[in-house]
Amino acid sequence: MTPKQARWAAITVTAGALAITAALALQPPGHIGRALWPAAVALVAIATTRQATVGLALGILAGGLLLVGGDPIRAIRELLAAHLFPAVQGPWRIAAIGFTLVMGAFAGLLEHSGGFESLLRRILGDGQGGRRRLLLGVYGVGLLCFFDGLASAMLTGRLARPLVDRARIAREKLAWIVDSTSSPVACISLVSTWIATQLSLIVQGLQGAPFPLAPYELYLGSILANPYCLLTLLLIPLAIAWDYE
């Protein structure tokens, strides 16, 4: 899709979404269309424009319009005053957002500089070392990208896809390995964007607790009580080892 086509697609989707949202805003609050419409707007916009930011923004705006009866000015004011600003109040929440932005910028710098891509290609090789070696390399690369689950999935999946196609490995298997590595490793690593979010939630949950406990101390103690992430990371190499050539 060319930039001009992308702009026209964004304009068309936005106009159509606003028109249908205005009609749904007249429906009673319990109408099923009102409940599903914001998510539908976001998915259609992402699929049409190939821009996740545009889709999420339109989905949020559609939800705000439904809440206030279709008035766009009031919807924006309500979204900012009642939802956005209260969600970022507090030092821990601001720190979590700042840390996430810094880590995201770091991931973008690694990607655009080319150095990280070169390292990943060295680890993955040329894809001629067998199915198990290639898939274990994808798994290892996912473990290296521990700082952000989304960045890990995008970097690893984009670099490994041509090698996996050349080795005639199903893309579904690649998607499972990439996804099952990226999120769990970011969830239990000591430094990641998800850890910042977890710490902010822990601080919020500890408010008013009758015992003193540091948020990071509680997080460290919870790692061994996270069976989903730990067992998933152990299951992947076992599944690769049992794979056939």
Side-chain angles (χ1 to χ4, degrees):
M1 180 181 295
T2 64
K4 184 177 180 180
Q5 291 174 334
R7 286 195 298 269
W8 278 109
I11 294 173
T12 303
V13 171
T14 301
L18 293 178
I20 298 176
T21 303
L24 287 176
L26 302 177
Q27 301 296 324
H31 192 272
I32 188 172
R34 291 171 59 99
L36 300 178
W37 181 241
V41 169
L43 292 175
V44 171
I46 292 173
T48 304
T49 64
R50 304 298 177 89
Q51 297 290 331
T53 304
V54 174
L56 293 175
L58 286 178
I60 293 172
L61 181 58
L65 289 171
L66 293 177
L67 289 176
V68 300
D71 185 352
I73 303 300
R74 184 184 170 194
I76 295 175
R77 184 172 62 247
E78 186 75 12
L79 288 172
L80 294 176
H83 299 281
L84 179 60
F85 292 153
V88 299
Q89 291 180 354
W92 271 96
R93 294 182 180 181
I94 295 176
I97 294 173
F99 181 79
T100 302
L101 292 175
V102 171
M103 293 299 292
F106 177 66
L109 178 63
L110 288 177
E111 181 179 6
H112 291 290
S113 65
F116 198 64
E117 180 175 352
S118 176
L119 176 61
L120 298 186
R121 291 194 182 279
R122 286 180 177 272
I123 295 175
L124 293 178
D126 56 2
Q128 301 298 325
R131 295 166 56 94
R132 292 189 181 90
R133 178 181 175 184
L134 177 57
L135 294 177
L136 286 174
V138 174
Y139 172 67
V141 170
L143 295 179
L144 286 178
C145 299
F146 61 87
F147 45 82
D148 184 80
L150 182 59
S152 173
M154 290 191 300
L155 287 171
T156 308
R158 181 171 55 82
L159 294 174
R161 184 173 58 185
L163 302 178
V164 165
D165 290 343
R166 190 184 310 163
R168 296 186 177 183
I169 300 174
R171 287 189 177 181
E172 291 79 4
K173 181 172 292 185
L174 171 65
W176 174 73
I177 293 175
V178 169
D179 181 67
S180 299
T181 305
S182 59
S183 297
V185 73
C187 189
I188 64 174
S189 63
L190 300 181
V191 178
S192 72
T193 54
W194 177 232
I195 299 310
T197 304
Q198 288 190 85
L199 289 176
S200 66
L201 296 175
I202 291 174
V203 170
Q204 183 179 356
L206 288 177
Q207 290 180 355
F211 50 85
L213 187 62
Y216 206 83
E217 179 183 352
L218 182 59
Y219 161 71
L220 291 177
S222 70
I223 291 180
L224 295 179
N226 194 336
Y228 168 76
C229 294
L230 296 174
L231 292 178
T232 299
L233 293 175
L234 291 175
L235 175 63
I236 295 173
L238 292 178
I240 295 174
W242 291 338
D243 187 25
Y244 58 88
E245 289 288 348

